[in-house]
Amino acid sequence: MLAFINAEIWTAAHGKLKNAKILLQDGKISAIGQDIVIPAAATVIDAEGKIITPGLIDTHSHVGVMEESIGWAGDDVNECSDPNTAQVRALDGINPYDQGFTDCLAGGVTTVQVGPGSGNVIGGEMVVLKTAGSVVDQMVIKQLSGMKAALGENPKNVYGGQKKMPSTRMGSAAVLRTALLEARNYLLKKETGKEQAFDMRKENLSKVLTREIPLRIHAHRADDIMTALRIGEEFQIEISLEHCTEGDKVAELIAARGIYAAVGPTMSAKSKVELKNMGYHTPVALAKAGVAFSIISDHPIIPEKYLHISAGLAVREGLDEEIAFQAITEIPAKMLGLSDRIGSLEVGKDADLVVWSEDPFELMAQVCYTVINGTIVWQGGE
């Protein structure tokens, strides 16, 4: 048993508790409040003057598949041998010894969704992990959380250079639409018992068509966002918008469809044309329109340890602080279908939390403790 006492606790689900305690037992939160009794057998840490939040969640990361300080040898994020690689899984490329996982713990990020990159129109399957561990299979909390897809500059840049389709935005949309049509025909044959050869790409895309998993579509520019919405409606599938850089231009249309957006990485350079309008005005506009969104790092574009700083900058630029807090805790948990386990501090949920030296949106805030499944996995600032 582990207990923190005398802290200000930001629960995410039920507001902020002053001078409160939280008790962790068997990997879960067993009690939280101002008047709870701490058993004598518990290890007690006095967190007076500190702030405790849920462990942060990043819904769009490449930690482990795009390793830090390694270069080519540790870059397994894009299988750029075909624009449709629905058969690959990010899980098979993750190195749990990547420095990026240490960055996660140092920044209070306890859960990440890791996916393939955006070099292909269809990149492969995504996975959700806790960020502490040495064997990736033991870190997984959701083995299949989405299918990565991409529109815009990246896939046309990769394949246009090879004189292959897609070399235009039209081509990327056509590749995606064709793959979904072929998977739909495959699924229909399978459902009617007609004999056909097993096809792993179509098999995996069938999970999108049956809404078992969402299609998570990389789209920066407003016209790419609209293409994503169009294709989602054509096939009646669940989608999320990844990056959503110009989402401010079509915020009302996104809100009308009730689609989640994963916004960012905004604390980075405008390294390509489709990022020229990037800024924190986008999450402000999405919030105003009523779009539910997460704030992401796209690690290693922004190192995981700065996820809270990125959210803090959004607050500085006008985003409501409570919405910014929700965008790195409770909303990501809902986006990943894991809100029964993570994203808020409530009895029965996973014992994932962060002890901060001060308001986590302040630049000088340090992570004093990161706790995953009730175990201290990082100890840092005072």
Side-chain angles (χ1 to χ4, degrees), residues 340-363:
D340 60 329
R341 291 186 57 180
I342 57 175
S344 60
L345 298 177
E346 297 176 89
V347 172
K349 289 196 173 182
D350 292 4
D352 298 350
L353 59 80
V354 191
V355 181
W356 303 88
S357 61
E358 55 187 293
D359 184 333
F361 292 140
E362 294 295 331
L363 183 62

Side-chain angles (χ1 to χ4, degrees), residues 272-352:
K272 50 188 176 180
V273 174
E274 63 187 5
L275 300 181
K276 68 178 182 180
N277 294 317
M278 180 177 69
Y280 283 106
H281 58 278
T282 294
V284 173
L286 292 176
K288 185 177 179 182
V291 177
F293 61 88
S294 62
I295 292 175
I296 62 171
S297 75
D298 200 11
H299 178 96
I301 304 302
I302 297 175
E304 289 284 7
K305 61 184 176 183
Y306 300 132
L307 179 63
H308 69 105
I309 296 295
S310 187
L313 287 173
V315 174
R316 191 191 70 177
E317 299 300 318
L319 184 64
D320 178 83
E321 182 173 314
E322 181 60 25
I323 292 176
F325 182 52
Q326 294 286 328
I328 51 177
T329 54
E330 201 166 27
I331 297 299
K334 292 177 179 175
M335 291 173 68
L336 300 176
L338 290 165
S339 58
D340 60 329
R341 291 186 57 180
I342 57 175
S344 60
L345 298 177
E346 297 176 89
V347 172
K349 289 196 173 182
D350 292 4
D352 298 350

Side-chain angles (χ1 to χ4, degrees), residues 5-23:
I5 63 172
N6 299 322
E8 179 175 322
I9 300 179
W10 297 9
T11 68
H14 303 293
K16 298 177 181 179
L17 304 173
K18 301 281 189 182
N19 193 27
K21 309 168 190 173
I22 186 166
L23 179 64

Side-chain angles (χ1 to χ4, degrees), residues 42-207:
T43 298
V44 178
I45 296 176
D46 189 343
E48 184 175 7
K50 308 291 193 297
I51 292 173
I52 295 179
T53 70
L56 306 188
I57 304 169
D58 188 354
T59 64
H60 188 117
S61 177
H62 304 297
V63 62
V65 291
M66 196 172 181
E67 298 179 54
E68 293 189 53
S69 308
I70 299 293
W72 174 85
D75 184 355
D76 294 297
V77 75
N78 282 301
E79 175 55 51
C80 287
S81 53
D82 191 287
N84 176 7
T85 54
Q87 72 272 38
V88 308
R89 304 188 305 174
L91 175 63
D92 297 324
I94 295 171
N95 179 5
Y97 292 97
D98 175 18
Q99 172 66 35
F101 283 107
T102 303
D103 285 353
C104 288
L105 303 181
V109 178
T110 56
T111 301
V112 289
Q113 178 174 238
V114 179
S118 51
N120 293 341
V121 176
I122 301 174
E125 292 183 347
M126 308 171 81
V127 62
V128 183
L129 314 168
K130 294 289 181 78
T131 54
S134 57
V135 177
V136 69
D137 304 82
Q138 297 171 354
M139 298 160 68
V140 170
I141 59 170
K142 191 169 189 176
Q143 187 158 320
L144 179 55
S145 58
M147 175 67 71
K148 180 69 181 294
L151 301 171
E153 294 178 19
N154 288 2
K156 76 169 192 166
N157 181 46
V158 170
Y159 291 97
Q162 300 175 30
K163 304 299 182 186
K164 295 179 180 177
M165 189 173 183
S167 61
T168 64
R169 282 181 161 81
M170 295 184 296
S172 291
V175 168
L176 179 54
R177 192 176 277 114
T178 300
L180 289 169
L181 281 169
E182 290 176 350
R184 187 161 68 185
N185 291 336
Y186 177 89
L187 183 61
L188 286 172
K189 283 186 177 180
K190 185 177 177 181
E191 289 174 345
T192 55
K194 292 182 179 177
E195 187 174 344
Q196 62 182 338
F198 179 82
D199 187 317
M200 186 177 289
R201 291 194 301 184
K202 295 171 184 171
E203 193 75 28
N204 287 354
L205 280 173
S206 295
K207 301 167 191 170

Side-chain angles (χ1 to χ4, degrees), residues 18-48:
K18 301 281 189 182
N19 193 27
K21 309 168 190 173
I22 186 166
L23 179 64
L24 316 177
Q25 186 173 8
D26 299 327
K28 299 289 183 181
I29 298 169
S30 60
I32 182 171
Q34 293 164 320
D35 301 318
I36 66 172
V37 176
I38 303 299
T43 298
V44 178
I45 296 176
D46 189 343
E48 184 175 7

Side-chain angles (χ1 to χ4, degrees), residues 201-245:
R201 291 194 301 184
K202 295 171 184 171
E203 193 75 28
N204 287 354
L205 280 173
S206 295
K207 301 167 191 170
V208 173
L209 294 168
T210 58
R211 302 176 70 91
E212 179 182 344
I213 56 172
L215 190 64
R216 302 195 184 279
I217 307 176
H218 164 118
H220 284 285
R221 225 168 64 176
D223 56 339
D224 293 325
I225 292 170
M226 292 310 300
T227 300
L229 297 181
R230 187 182 315 120
I231 291 176
E233 289 185 350
E234 286 174 19
F235 289 90
Q236 293 295 297
I237 57 177
E238 181 185 353
I239 69 168
S240 66
L241 297 169
E242 305 296 310
H243 304 300
C244 203
T245 301

